[in-house]
Amino acid sequence: MKLNQALLFALCITFLNCSTESSGNPDEENMDSTLLKKIVYNKDTDDEYTEIFNYDGNKLTSIDYGDNTKNVYTYDDNNHLVRDDFFSEGVLEATVILDYNVNEKVATFTETFFETSGLSDRKYKHDITYNNDGTFTDVVSVSYSNAEFESHRTETITLDGGNNISKIKTEDDDFQISITYDDKNNMFKNVHAIEVLNILSENEFGALIYGNTNNMTSYTESGASFNNKETFEFVYNEKGYPISAISTSIGESDDTLEFIYE
């Protein structure tokens, strides 16, 4: 389902807020309503598969991967995205529950894994702090077999001056992620609550939804004894949205992607 399973869950936790208020500019709001409908991976090969994106208006309601495997999204009466359920062959394997602060930013989210996931009896709780210097902190706790939560890790996330994350650093560890972007339209930019969907991309069973402004062109993860890099080369349409891409990873064969819009 994913091209890169190694990214940390915290990759996209920090995209400012999930406010559903409009910009106040009708011309701007009506300018572009492009929504991604399908991604076809490795077309015309034995490895071909398709992700289908389903919407209610511009609210993403589910992503279908075939074989009755999908992510399903639930919203409250205020249109906040509050739940992400992952089903494999029709069986619920994992759930993420989100809570918000008074500023309508994600304050906490908790991942729960069920027996069928292979990670049963385990929960991860993420507490988010928005720092004055423009960085963000994710304090992660873990609970096994419904015991009390205990400290697991802390990560600091840096933005590039906009909504794109440029660096993620794990405290007390040499592990770091560095990311670069293009200057084109992100394929998911018009999806409701895209900032929150970014949060859900990096749990174990989250859908692959990176960024809400531009498209990721390179991702590098490094540590004391390793350095891994993945790059994306895009072709764009006349609106500046990607219509195809080639993903290249060190030591692996290239993957191709085709993006189809409504």
Side-chain angles (χ1 to χ4, degrees), residues 219-231:
Y219 151 78
T220 303
E221 59 176 13
S222 58
S225 59
F226 67 94
N227 189 296
N228 299 319
K229 185 174 184 178
E230 183 173 12
T231 60

Side-chain angles (χ1 to χ4, degrees), residues 102-202:
V102 295
N103 296 317
E104 296 194 344
K105 295 181 181 182
V106 175
T108 64
F109 55 94
T110 303
E111 309 165 72
T112 300
F113 300 99
F114 303 106
E115 183 177 355
T116 52
S117 71
L119 297 171
S120 58
D121 297 326
R122 185 180 309 181
K123 294 182 180 180
Y124 291 99
K125 182 180 179 182
H126 298 251
D127 290 290
I128 312 304
T129 300
Y130 300 88
N131 305 315
N132 292 331
D133 62 0
T135 63
F136 304 83
T137 303
D138 178 22
V139 177
V140 186
S141 304
V142 62
S143 168
Y144 299 98
S145 302
N146 292 318
E148 293 293 324
F149 281 97
E150 58 186 66
S151 178
H152 183 60
R153 69 175 185 269
T154 299
E155 296 164 343
T156 300
I157 301 92
T158 303
L159 301 182
D160 64 358
N163 281 344
N164 297 317
I165 291 175
S166 60
K167 184 171 67 174
I168 302 169
K169 182 70 173 65
T170 303
E171 292 186 9
D172 302 320
D173 196 332
D174 291 326
F175 186 82
Q176 178 173 298
I177 292 175
S178 299
I179 308 167
T180 63
Y181 299 86
D182 63 14
D183 59 357
K184 306 297 185 180
N185 290 318
N186 182 271
M187 63 199 75
F188 299 105
K189 68 175 291 185
N190 297 313
V191 176
H192 172 77
I194 183 60
E195 300 89 349
V196 185
L197 287 163
N198 292 154
I199 294 172
L200 304 180
S201 294
E202 294 315 317

Side-chain angles (χ1 to χ4, degrees), residues 4-21:
N4 193 330
Q5 293 285 355
L7 287 174
L8 293 177
F9 179 83
L11 176 61
C12 294
I13 66 167
T14 59
F15 284 105
L16 297 187
N17 63 55
C18 62
S19 175
T20 59
E21 294 180 2

